[in-house]
Amino acid sequence: MDELRPRLATAADASAIASIYNEGIAARSATFETEPRSVDEVARWVAASVHPMLVAEVRGEVVAAGWISAYSERLCYGGVGECSVYVAADHRGRGIGTALCEALAAEAERQGFYKLLGKLFTTNEASNRLVRRCGFREVGVHLCHGRLGGGWRDVLLVERLLGDAARVAARSPG
Ligand SMILES: CC(C)(COP(=O)(O)OP(=O)(O)OC[C@H]1O[C@@H](n2cnc3c(N)ncnc32)[C@H](O)[C@@H]1OP(=O)(O)O)[C@@H](O)C(=O)NCCC(=O)NCCS
């Protein structure tokens, strides 16, 4: 694989992020979102983002984006984030999603998050394999968790502990 450079996103990446995310939205296999994001919207989103948002470059081209969203407004869950990773279709299957997910977890831990959650369509084989490879554990499946394209979708909930929480859980599993 060409050298991959994960780094914090800036507003200048908005066009690339919009294009990569919109590809995922259009495929109807990764998210309940159905409306494509405009570049302006993404630029405002990046500028306002208080949680980790990364892109990955290959030979100077942004080919993937990943971000952490707040899980809850409740203070007690401030260290729990929801993780999303999108790789441009032409660049999938080469380890980029894995590398970006690991970089996102490292940045989230650095910023004080103790847990990442992932919510995946059970039918999305690539994302199911990605989270397994990145050390997430399956929490359970939400049945008929939302509708997309006229049909119900089941959603797999996964989690990965970070930092001290991971160390504590490893000492007293189960
Ligand atoms: C899911 C996604 C981020 C994975 O990124 P990627 O760069 O292709 O993943 P990697 O190359 O690092 O591979 C990760 C795992 O997924 C598997 N994988 C990759 N593409 C796959 C495909 N098309 N079908 C099945 N498995 C696939 C790999 O084999 C690997 O699993 P393994 O370790 O068991 O062999 C990417 O496919 C994508 O952007 N999909 C659309 C958006 C999406 O679904 N995002 C996740 C929801 S937030």
Side-chain angles (χ1 to χ4, degrees):
M1 186 172 75
D2 288 311
E3 194 184 354
L4 187 73
R5 294 178 186 280
R7 60 166 173 79
L8 289 173
T10 73
D13 300 313
S15 174
I17 296 170
S19 157
I20 293 165
Y21 188 30
N22 288 340
E23 222 171 23
I25 292 172
R28 300 289 190 267
S29 57
T31 171
F32 284 111
E33 299 294 331
T34 55
E35 289 301 313
R37 297 291 197 272
S38 71
V39 174
D40 282 352
E41 202 176 345
V42 172
R44 286 195 297 276
W45 173 29
V46 177
S49 178
V50 291
H51 299 314
M53 184 162 199
L54 302 185
V55 292
E57 281 184 11
V58 172
R59 278 181 269 119
E61 181 194 357
V62 171
V63 298
W67 55 88
I68 306 290
S69 324
Y71 161 69
S72 166
E73 289 180 357
R74 294 187 63 192
L75 199 58
C76 59
Y77 295 130
V80 181
E82 275 191 47
C83 176
S84 301
V85 175
Y86 286 74
V87 177
D90 289 351
H91 294 268
R92 291 179 193 159
R94 299 179 203 162
I96 294 173
T98 302
L100 187 59
C101 189
E102 290 295 349
L104 206 48
E107 180 61 21
E109 184 172 332
R110 201 185 64 76
Q111 292 195 21
F113 283 89
Y114 61 83
K115 179 183 285 196
L116 294 183
L117 298 182
K119 290 179 185 158
L120 328 165
F121 292 155
T122 50
T123 47
N124 185 341
E125 173 72 16
S127 67
N128 279 253
R129 290 178 69 151
L130 170 73
V131 293
R132 271 201 299 275
R133 187 165 168 169
C134 291
F136 286 74
R137 80 175 186 96
E138 297 192 4
V139 178
V141 175
H142 293 293
L143 298 175
C144 299
H145 207 46
R147 281 196 168 121
L148 185 66
W152 289 105
R153 297 295 180 108
D154 296 341
V155 171
L156 173 67
L157 177 63
V158 297
E159 68 177 10
R160 172 174 163 176
L161 293 170
L162 304 172
D164 187 51
R167 286 187 287 276
V168 169
R171 280 202 300 271
S172 50

